Amino acid sequence: MTQKHRQVSSTRRPWVIVRRSGYQGLDIASLQDDVYFHVVSVDGSTGDEVEANAHFIVQACNAHDELLAALKECMSLVGEDNLPENVNDVLDRALAAIAKATSPQAP
């Protein structure tokens, strides 16, 4: 018996961190039209670890599509003898996506 894998999309982004009263962990939610849709709860051994994990997840997920597109575009340039005129535009988008993935997120 073989299993069929179906393509399922992740919850729409942007994802944000939500603090619940009386809960020591943090929630990550999708924010759509001023409504929060729960994605996952984040727990850890320390408050600092919970905070760091939640910020990392939100930052990585929110930057994913832009990073992937920019890097694919950069890779399409590798090995070409004549670089296209828009190579600086492509590299600027790649640098912006990298900056988004590595800059601190506001709490």
Side-chain angles (χ1 to χ4, degrees), residues 10-20 23-31 36-44 50 53-59 61:
S10 64
T11 304
R12 281 186 17 199
R13 289 176 294 279
W15 290 2
V16 296
I17 295 171
V18 179
R19 298 176 192 282
R20 276 192 284 156
Y23 176 60
Q24 291 183 341
L26 294 172
D27 288 329
I28 295 175
S30 172
L31 180 58
Y36 293 104
F37 296 92
H38 183 265
V39 175
V40 66
S41 296
V42 180
D43 295 303
V50 169
N53 288 342
H55 281 281
F56 177 75
I57 291 166
V58 167
Q59 188 171 15
C61 291

Side-chain angles (χ1 to χ4, degrees), residues 3-103:
Q3 288 185 353
K4 292 183 180 181
H5 296 280
R6 61 187 176 103
Q7 189 73 16
V8 178
S9 297
S10 64
T11 304
R12 281 186 17 199
R13 289 176 294 279
W15 290 2
V16 296
I17 295 171
V18 179
R19 298 176 192 282
R20 276 192 284 156
S21 178
Y23 176 60
Q24 291 183 341
L26 294 172
D27 288 329
I28 295 175
S30 172
L31 180 58
Q32 305 301 324
D33 300 322
D34 296 326
V35 177
Y36 293 104
F37 296 92
H38 183 265
V39 175
V40 66
S41 296
V42 180
D43 295 303
S45 59
T46 68
D48 289 342
E49 182 181 70
V50 169
E51 187 88 21
N53 288 342
H55 281 281
F56 177 75
I57 291 166
V58 167
Q59 188 171 15
C61 291
N62 286 343
H64 176 267
D65 293 340
E66 290 170 43
L67 279 171
L68 186 58
L71 292 175
K72 283 181 176 180
E73 197 169 358
C74 286
M75 291 305 296
S76 72
L77 302 176
V78 174
E80 293 184 18
D81 293 330
N82 298 313
L83 294 176
E85 290 181 21
N86 71 337
V87 68
N88 287 331
D89 294 336
V90 173
L91 295 176
D92 286 345
R93 285 194 299 278
L95 290 172
I98 291 168
K100 182 176 181 177
T102 59
S103 66

